Amino acid sequence: MSMNSSKQPVFPEAGLLANTTCQMQNRLSVFFSIIFMTVGILSNSLAIAILMKAYQRFRQKSKASFLLLASGLVITDFFGHLINGGIAVFVYASDKDWIRFDQSNILCSVFGISMVFSGLCPLLLGSAMAIERCIGVTNPIFHSTKITSKHVKMVLGGVCVLAVFVALLPILGHRDYQIQASRTWCFYNTQNIEDWEDRFYLLFFSFLGLLALGVSFLCNAITGVTLLRVKFKSQQHRQGRSYHFEMVIQLLAIMCVSCVCWSPFLVTMANIAINGSNSPVTCETTLFALRMATWNQILDPWVYILLRKAVLKNLYKLASHCCGVHIISVHIWELSSIKNSLKVAAISESPAAEKESQQASVEVGL
Protein backbone atom coordinates (compact mmCIF):
# COMPACT_ATOMS: atom_id res chain seq x y z
CA MET A 1 0.00 0.00 0.00
CA SER A 2 1.40 3.39 -0.98
CA MET A 3 1.90 6.05 1.63
CA ASN A 4 -0.24 8.36 -0.46
CA SER A 5 -2.38 7.81 -3.50
CA SER A 6 -2.30 11.19 -5.19
CA LYS A 7 0.82 10.39 -7.21
CA GLN A 8 2.51 7.23 -8.34
CA PRO A 9 6.10 6.53 -7.34
CA VAL A 10 8.62 7.83 -9.80
CA PHE A 11 11.24 5.45 -11.22
CA PRO A 12 13.09 7.49 -13.83
CA GLU A 13 15.14 4.58 -15.16
CA ALA A 14 15.75 5.80 -18.68
CA GLY A 15 17.21 9.13 -17.68
CA LEU A 16 19.21 7.74 -14.82
CA LEU A 17 20.79 4.94 -16.77
CA ALA A 18 22.07 7.51 -19.19
CA ASN A 19 24.20 8.94 -16.41
CA THR A 20 27.01 6.42 -16.93
CA THR A 21 29.43 8.18 -14.59
CA CYS A 22 27.25 7.57 -11.54
CA GLN A 23 26.59 4.00 -12.61
CA MET A 24 30.30 3.30 -13.03
CA GLN A 25 30.94 4.34 -9.43
CA ASN A 26 28.77 1.54 -8.04
CA ARG A 27 31.54 -0.48 -6.36
CA LEU A 28 33.17 2.63 -4.93
CA SER A 29 29.81 3.80 -3.59
CA VAL A 30 29.22 0.44 -1.89
CA PHE A 31 32.60 0.76 -0.23
CA PHE A 32 31.82 4.29 0.97
CA SER A 33 28.41 3.26 2.33
CA ILE A 34 29.78 0.33 4.32
CA ILE A 35 32.72 2.33 5.70
CA PHE A 36 30.58 5.34 6.64
CA MET A 37 27.97 3.17 8.35
CA THR A 38 30.48 1.07 10.28
CA VAL A 39 32.65 3.95 11.47
CA GLY A 40 29.59 6.06 12.32
CA ILE A 41 27.93 3.34 14.37
CA LEU A 42 31.12 2.46 16.26
CA SER A 43 32.11 6.05 17.07
CA ASN A 44 28.61 7.07 18.15
CA SER A 45 28.21 3.89 20.21
CA LEU A 46 31.42 4.71 22.05
CA ALA A 47 30.23 8.27 22.58
CA ILE A 48 26.90 7.07 24.00
CA ALA A 49 28.72 4.76 26.44
CA ILE A 50 30.97 7.61 27.60
CA LEU A 51 27.98 9.91 28.04
CA MET A 52 26.09 7.35 30.11
CA LYS A 53 29.10 6.89 32.36
CA ALA A 54 29.59 10.64 32.67
CA TYR A 55 25.92 11.20 33.48
CA GLN A 56 26.18 8.75 36.37
CA ARG A 57 29.18 10.61 37.76
CA PHE A 58 28.06 14.20 37.23
CA ARG A 59 24.55 15.13 38.27
CA GLN A 60 24.95 18.88 38.66
CA LYS A 61 22.36 20.93 36.82
CA SER A 62 24.79 22.51 34.37
CA LYS A 63 26.42 19.22 33.51
CA ALA A 64 23.06 17.53 33.08
CA SER A 65 22.07 20.18 30.54
CA PHE A 66 25.13 19.59 28.41
CA LEU A 67 24.89 15.81 28.70
CA LEU A 68 21.23 15.76 27.69
CA LEU A 69 21.85 17.76 24.53
CA ALA A 70 25.01 15.83 23.68
CA SER A 71 23.20 12.52 24.24
CA GLY A 72 20.40 13.57 21.92
CA LEU A 73 22.94 14.50 19.25
CA VAL A 74 24.94 11.27 19.30
CA ILE A 75 21.83 9.08 19.59
CA THR A 76 20.37 10.80 16.54
CA ASP A 77 23.63 10.30 14.66
CA PHE A 78 23.72 6.64 15.73
CA PHE A 79 20.23 5.81 14.47
CA GLY A 80 20.83 7.90 11.36
CA HIS A 81 23.82 5.75 10.43
CA LEU A 82 22.02 2.56 11.41
CA ILE A 83 18.83 3.20 9.39
CA ASN A 84 20.24 5.12 6.42
CA GLY A 85 23.33 2.94 6.13
CA GLY A 86 21.33 -0.28 6.43
CA ILE A 87 18.88 0.76 3.71
CA ALA A 88 21.67 1.96 1.43
CA VAL A 89 23.56 -1.35 1.71
CA PHE A 90 20.32 -3.23 1.02
CA VAL A 91 19.71 -1.10 -2.08
CA TYR A 92 23.20 -1.88 -3.40
CA ALA A 93 22.75 -5.59 -2.63
CA SER A 94 19.50 -5.53 -4.65
CA ASP A 95 21.27 -3.93 -7.65
CA LYS A 96 19.29 -0.72 -7.07
CA ASP A 97 16.19 -2.34 -8.58
CA TRP A 98 13.64 -0.19 -6.76
CA ILE A 99 10.75 -1.41 -8.93
CA ARG A 100 11.29 -4.96 -7.73
CA PHE A 101 11.60 -4.42 -3.97
CA ASP A 102 9.71 -1.14 -3.42
CA GLN A 103 6.77 -0.88 -5.80
CA SER A 104 4.66 0.89 -3.18
CA ASN A 105 7.40 3.48 -2.50
CA ILE A 106 7.23 2.82 1.25
CA LEU A 107 10.93 2.05 1.67
CA CYS A 108 11.89 5.16 -0.30
CA SER A 109 9.63 7.29 1.89
CA VAL A 110 11.11 5.82 5.08
CA PHE A 111 14.59 6.40 3.67
CA GLY A 112 13.79 10.02 2.79
CA ILE A 113 12.18 10.77 6.17
CA SER A 114 15.18 9.31 7.98
CA MET A 115 17.59 11.28 5.77
CA VAL A 116 15.88 14.60 6.51
CA PHE A 117 15.43 13.95 10.24
CA SER A 118 18.94 12.59 10.91
CA GLY A 119 20.39 15.46 8.90
CA LEU A 120 18.45 18.35 10.36
CA CYS A 121 18.16 17.24 14.00
CA PRO A 122 21.94 17.17 14.76
CA LEU A 123 22.33 20.62 13.21
CA LEU A 124 19.58 22.04 15.40
CA LEU A 125 20.94 20.27 18.48
CA GLY A 126 24.41 21.61 17.77
CA SER A 127 22.90 25.08 17.61
CA ALA A 128 21.09 24.49 20.92
CA MET A 129 24.35 23.35 22.54
CA ALA A 130 26.12 26.45 21.27
CA ILE A 131 23.38 28.67 22.71
CA GLU A 132 23.51 26.84 26.05
CA ARG A 133 27.28 27.25 26.31
CA CYS A 134 27.08 30.89 25.29
CA ILE A 135 24.53 31.63 28.01
CA GLY A 136 26.59 29.74 30.59
CA VAL A 137 29.71 31.78 29.81
CA THR A 138 28.21 35.23 29.24
CA ASN A 139 25.46 35.08 31.88
CA PRO A 140 26.34 32.43 34.50
CA ILE A 141 23.83 33.75 37.06
CA PHE A 142 20.90 33.40 34.65
CA HIS A 143 22.16 29.99 33.53
CA SER A 144 22.52 28.61 37.05
CA THR A 145 19.14 29.89 38.25
CA LYS A 146 16.85 29.71 35.23
CA ILE A 147 18.03 26.93 32.94
CA THR A 148 17.02 23.60 34.44
CA SER A 149 17.06 20.04 33.17
CA LYS A 150 13.34 20.34 32.53
CA HIS A 151 13.91 23.27 30.20
CA VAL A 152 16.66 21.41 28.38
CA LYS A 153 14.40 18.39 27.92
CA MET A 154 11.73 20.67 26.48
CA VAL A 155 14.26 22.12 24.04
CA LEU A 156 15.41 18.63 23.10
CA GLY A 157 11.83 17.52 22.51
CA GLY A 158 11.03 20.66 20.55
CA VAL A 159 14.02 20.16 18.25
CA CYS A 160 12.99 16.56 17.57
CA VAL A 161 9.38 17.58 16.85
CA LEU A 162 10.54 20.29 14.43
CA ALA A 163 12.83 17.85 12.61
CA VAL A 164 10.04 15.26 12.38
CA PHE A 165 7.65 17.90 11.04
CA VAL A 166 10.08 18.96 8.32
CA ALA A 167 10.69 15.30 7.43
CA LEU A 168 6.94 14.61 7.14
CA LEU A 169 6.15 17.71 5.06
CA PRO A 170 6.01 15.84 1.72
CA ILE A 171 3.73 13.19 3.20
CA LEU A 172 1.46 15.85 4.69
CA GLY A 173 1.46 17.63 1.33
CA HIS A 174 0.56 14.40 -0.52
CA ARG A 175 3.94 14.20 -2.23
CA ASP A 176 6.27 11.22 -2.51
CA TYR A 177 9.92 11.13 -1.64
CA GLN A 178 11.88 10.61 -4.84
CA ILE A 179 14.68 8.26 -5.82
CA GLN A 180 17.72 10.38 -6.61
CA ALA A 181 19.84 10.25 -9.75
CA SER A 182 22.33 7.71 -8.39
CA ARG A 183 19.39 5.40 -7.45
CA THR A 184 21.02 4.80 -4.04
CA TRP A 185 19.11 7.21 -1.77
CA CYS A 186 15.81 9.09 -1.46
CA PHE A 187 15.14 12.72 -0.70
CA TYR A 188 12.88 15.59 -1.67
CA ASN A 189 12.20 15.95 -5.38
CA THR A 190 15.40 17.35 -6.91
CA GLN A 191 15.15 16.21 -10.54
CA ASN A 192 11.76 17.14 -11.99
CA ILE A 193 10.67 20.09 -9.88
CA GLU A 194 7.05 20.78 -10.74
CA ASP A 195 5.88 23.72 -8.69
CA TRP A 196 6.55 25.97 -5.70
CA GLU A 197 5.87 23.15 -3.24
CA ASP A 198 8.85 21.11 -4.41
CA ARG A 199 11.02 24.22 -4.18
CA PHE A 200 9.66 25.06 -0.73
CA TYR A 201 10.67 21.71 0.78
CA LEU A 202 14.25 22.09 -0.42
CA LEU A 203 14.50 25.75 0.54
CA PHE A 204 12.98 25.21 3.98
CA PHE A 205 15.39 22.36 4.74
CA SER A 206 18.36 24.37 3.50
CA PHE A 207 17.26 27.51 5.35
CA LEU A 208 16.92 25.71 8.70
CA GLY A 209 20.27 24.00 8.26
CA LEU A 210 22.12 27.17 7.28
CA LEU A 211 20.38 29.09 10.08
CA ALA A 212 21.51 26.47 12.61
CA LEU A 213 25.08 26.74 11.32
CA GLY A 214 24.94 30.54 11.51
CA VAL A 215 23.62 30.53 15.08
CA SER A 216 26.24 27.98 16.13
CA PHE A 217 29.01 30.03 14.54
CA LEU A 218 27.84 33.24 16.22
CA CYS A 219 27.35 31.72 19.68
CA ASN A 220 30.63 29.80 19.60
CA ALA A 221 32.46 32.94 18.48
CA ILE A 222 30.95 34.93 21.37
CA THR A 223 31.86 32.12 23.79
CA GLY A 224 35.44 31.98 22.54
CA VAL A 225 35.91 35.76 22.71
CA THR A 226 34.43 35.82 26.22
CA LEU A 227 36.79 33.10 27.41
CA LEU A 228 39.77 34.99 26.03
CA ARG A 229 38.61 38.21 27.69
CA VAL A 230 38.23 36.42 31.03
CA LYS A 231 41.68 34.88 30.64
CA PHE A 232 43.52 38.10 29.88
CA LYS A 233 41.55 40.54 32.06
CA SER A 234 40.74 38.51 35.14
CA GLN A 235 43.80 37.05 36.81
CA GLN A 236 41.78 35.79 39.78
CA HIS A 237 39.55 33.63 37.61
CA ARG A 238 42.25 32.01 35.49
CA GLN A 239 41.99 28.23 35.44
CA GLY A 240 45.27 27.54 33.69
CA ARG A 241 46.40 27.65 30.09
CA SER A 242 45.04 24.20 29.22
CA TYR A 243 41.50 25.16 30.26
CA HIS A 244 41.28 28.03 27.77
CA PHE A 245 43.39 26.37 25.12
CA GLU A 246 41.31 23.20 24.99
CA MET A 247 38.00 25.06 25.04
CA VAL A 248 38.90 27.47 22.23
CA ILE A 249 40.27 24.62 20.11
CA GLN A 250 37.07 22.63 20.66
CA LEU A 251 34.91 25.57 19.67
CA LEU A 252 36.93 26.10 16.50
CA ALA A 253 36.69 22.38 15.70
CA ILE A 254 32.92 22.40 16.15
CA MET A 255 32.48 25.37 13.83
CA CYS A 256 34.88 24.10 11.18
CA VAL A 257 33.52 20.54 11.06
CA SER A 258 29.88 21.62 10.86
CA CYS A 259 30.43 24.33 8.27
CA VAL A 260 32.80 22.34 6.07
CA CYS A 261 30.72 19.16 6.13
CA TRP A 262 27.20 20.56 5.80
CA SER A 263 27.58 23.72 3.73
CA PRO A 264 28.09 21.91 0.37
CA PHE A 265 24.93 19.83 0.75
CA LEU A 266 22.76 22.68 2.01
CA VAL A 267 23.97 25.04 -0.71
CA THR A 268 23.48 22.34 -3.34
CA MET A 269 19.88 21.75 -2.29
CA ALA A 270 19.20 25.49 -2.25
CA ASN A 271 20.74 25.83 -5.70
CA ILE A 272 18.50 23.08 -7.06
CA ALA A 273 15.43 24.67 -5.48
CA ILE A 274 16.16 28.11 -6.95
CA ASN A 275 17.23 27.04 -10.43
CA GLY A 276 14.99 24.01 -10.84
CA SER A 277 15.56 22.10 -14.08
CA ASN A 278 18.19 24.66 -15.11
CA SER A 279 20.40 23.86 -12.12
CA PRO A 280 24.01 23.02 -13.09
CA VAL A 281 24.28 20.55 -10.19
CA THR A 282 25.37 17.08 -11.36
CA CYS A 283 24.99 13.63 -9.85
CA GLU A 284 28.64 13.61 -8.83
CA THR A 285 28.32 16.96 -7.07
CA THR A 286 25.28 15.82 -5.11
CA LEU A 287 26.93 12.55 -4.05
CA PHE A 288 30.06 14.39 -2.94
CA ALA A 289 28.00 16.84 -0.89
CA LEU A 290 26.03 13.98 0.65
CA ARG A 291 29.18 12.15 1.70
CA MET A 292 30.57 15.35 3.20
CA ALA A 293 27.39 15.71 5.28
CA THR A 294 27.70 12.09 6.38
CA TRP A 295 31.20 12.78 7.67
CA ASN A 296 29.76 15.36 10.07
CA GLN A 297 27.75 12.64 11.79
CA ILE A 298 30.92 10.56 12.05
CA LEU A 299 33.01 13.40 13.48
CA ASP A 300 30.37 14.75 15.89
CA PRO A 301 31.12 12.32 18.74
CA TRP A 302 34.87 12.85 18.34
CA VAL A 303 34.55 16.63 18.48
CA TYR A 304 32.05 16.81 21.33
CA ILE A 305 32.89 13.81 23.47
CA LEU A 306 35.89 11.66 22.57
CA LEU A 307 38.57 14.37 22.45
CA ARG A 308 39.48 13.83 26.10
CA LYS A 309 42.60 14.18 28.19
CA ALA A 310 43.61 10.54 27.89
CA VAL A 311 43.23 10.57 24.10
CA LEU A 312 45.16 13.81 23.74
CA LYS A 313 47.97 12.55 25.96
CA ASN A 314 48.32 9.34 23.97
CA LEU A 315 48.29 11.26 20.69
CA TYR A 316 50.95 13.61 22.04
CA LYS A 317 53.15 10.74 23.22
CA LEU A 318 52.76 9.00 19.87
CA ALA A 319 53.62 12.18 17.96
CA SER A 320 56.63 12.83 20.22
CA HIS A 321 57.84 9.28 19.76
CA CYS A 322 57.47 9.37 15.97
CA CYS A 323 58.84 12.88 15.44
CA GLY A 324 61.39 12.87 18.23
CA VAL A 325 60.52 16.49 19.06
CA HIS A 326 59.35 17.74 22.43
CA ILE A 327 56.76 20.36 21.53
CA ILE A 328 54.82 20.98 24.73
CA SER A 329 54.63 19.46 28.18
CA VAL A 330 52.17 16.65 28.70
CA HIS A 331 50.82 18.27 31.85
CA ILE A 332 49.25 21.03 29.74
CA TRP A 333 46.24 18.77 29.28
CA GLU A 334 44.95 19.14 32.80
CA LEU A 335 41.24 18.69 32.16
CA SER A 336 39.35 16.46 29.79
CA SER A 337 37.52 18.03 26.86
CA ILE A 338 34.10 16.96 28.08
CA LYS A 339 34.92 18.28 31.55
CA ASN A 340 35.91 21.59 30.03
CA SER A 341 32.66 21.74 28.05
CA LEU A 342 30.65 21.04 31.15
CA LYS A 343 32.69 23.48 33.22
CA VAL A 344 32.33 26.26 30.69
CA ALA A 345 28.57 25.70 30.56
CA ALA A 346 28.41 26.31 34.31
CA ILE A 347 31.58 28.45 34.74
CA SER A 348 31.96 27.03 38.23
CA GLU A 349 31.53 23.84 40.21
CA SER A 350 31.13 25.33 43.70
CA PRO A 351 29.40 28.30 45.37
CA ALA A 352 32.76 29.95 46.08
CA ALA A 353 33.86 29.58 42.50
CA GLU A 354 30.49 30.91 41.34
CA LYS A 355 31.06 34.10 43.35
CA GLU A 356 34.46 34.49 41.71
CA SER A 357 32.81 33.91 38.35
CA GLN A 358 30.29 36.65 39.01
CA GLN A 359 33.06 39.03 40.02
CA ALA A 360 35.00 38.17 36.87
CA SER A 361 31.91 38.75 34.76
CA VAL A 362 31.54 42.24 36.20
CA GLU A 363 35.23 42.99 35.58
CA VAL A 364 35.10 42.06 31.90
CA GLY A 365 31.81 43.88 31.36
CA LEU A 366 29.54 40.84 30.92
Side-chain angles (χ1 to χ4, degrees), residues 2-217:
S2 177
M3 297 193 69
N4 61 71
S5 58
S6 61
K7 292 190 176 183
Q8 296 298 322
V10 178
F11 300 96
E13 288 185 313
L16 296 176
L17 290 175
N19 194 335
T20 56
T21 303
C22 284
Q23 297 299 319
M24 290 173 61
Q25 293 180 345
N26 182 55
R27 292 185 178 180
L28 184 61
S29 297
V30 175
F31 174 78
F32 274 119
S33 297
I34 295 176
I35 292 298
F36 285 174
M37 180 180 68
T38 303
V39 175
I41 290 176
L42 291 177
S43 60
N44 282 283
S45 298
L46 181 58
I48 292 173
I50 291 176
L51 279 172
M52 293 177 62
K53 183 177 180 180
Y55 191 78
Q56 294 176 352
R57 292 180 56 193
F58 305 110
R59 294 191 175 273
Q60 288 88 346
K61 179 172 57 180
S62 59
K63 293 185 177 182
S65 299
F66 178 85
L67 289 173
L68 284 173
L69 294 173
S71 299
L73 188 144
V74 295
I75 290 174
T76 302
D77 286 340
F78 172 82
F79 282 105
H81 280 289
L82 184 64
I83 297 174
N84 298 337
I87 296 178
V89 172
F90 171 77
V91 170
Y92 281 116
S94 304
D95 295 326
K96 299 182 284 187
D97 189 0
W98 289 86
I99 297 179
R100 178 172 60 85
F101 62 78
D102 191 32
Q103 294 184 3
S104 61
N105 206 44
I106 293 179
L107 182 63
C108 182
S109 297
V110 172
F111 198 179
I113 291 172
S114 179
M115 287 287 294
V116 174
F117 176 82
S118 61
L120 188 59
C121 193
L123 288 175
L124 296 175
L125 287 176
S127 178
M129 293 177 69
I131 295 174
E132 189 268 345
R133 286 194 304 270
C134 184
I135 295 175
V137 171
T138 60
N139 199 338
I141 299 177
F142 175 82
H143 182 276
S144 61
T145 58
K146 300 297 182 180
I147 298 181
T148 64
S149 296
K150 180 180 179 180
H151 295 144
V152 176
K153 291 178 181 178
M154 292 176 61
V155 171
L156 183 60
V159 167
C160 293
V161 169
L162 177 59
V164 169
F165 172 74
V166 177
L168 292 177
L169 274 178
I171 307 300
L172 299 176
H174 303 288
R175 298 291 178 101
D176 282 308
Y177 275 94
Q178 304 294 319
I179 302 169
Q180 302 304 301
S182 62
R183 298 181 61 78
T184 57
W185 61 295
C186 294
F187 201 66
Y188 298 132
N189 183 15
T190 61
Q191 300 170 74
N192 302 305
I193 296 180
E194 301 176 356
D195 51 27
W196 67 268
E197 193 171 350
D198 291 332
R199 299 175 186 271
F200 173 76
Y201 298 149
L202 292 171
L203 284 175
F204 191 42
F205 175 84
S206 301
F207 170 77
L208 289 178
L210 292 173
L211 178 64
L213 288 178
V215 172
S216 298
F217 183 90

Side-chain angles (χ1 to χ4, degrees), residues 300-342:
D300 269 343
W302 295 92
V303 173
Y304 285 106
I305 306 300
L306 302 181
L307 200 60
R308 301 180 299 149
K309 177 182 63 175
V311 177
L312 294 174
K313 279 187 175 182
N314 291 332
L315 289 176
Y316 167 78
K317 291 178 180 178
L318 179 62
S320 300
H321 178 74
C322 295
C323 300
V325 178
H326 186 73
I327 303 174
I328 54 175
S329 299
V330 175
H331 73 270
I332 194 172
W333 306 111
E334 297 174 4
L335 300 173
S336 68
S337 184
I338 183 173
K339 197 171 183 180
N340 285 343
S341 299
L342 299 172

Side-chain angles (χ1 to χ4, degrees), residues 137-138 140-141 226-227 229-231 233-239 244 347 352-366:
V137 171
T138 60
I141 299 177
T226 302
L227 287 174
R229 291 176 61 190
V230 170
K231 175 181 179 180
K233 293 188 177 182
S234 178
Q235 299 295 327
Q236 296 179 351
H237 186 61
R238 298 180 70 173
Q239 299 290 333
H244 299 283
I347 289 297
E354 184 175 352
K355 292 181 179 179
E356 294 181 1
S357 174
Q358 296 174 11
Q359 294 175 359
S361 298
V362 173
E363 292 178 10
V364 297
L366 298 178

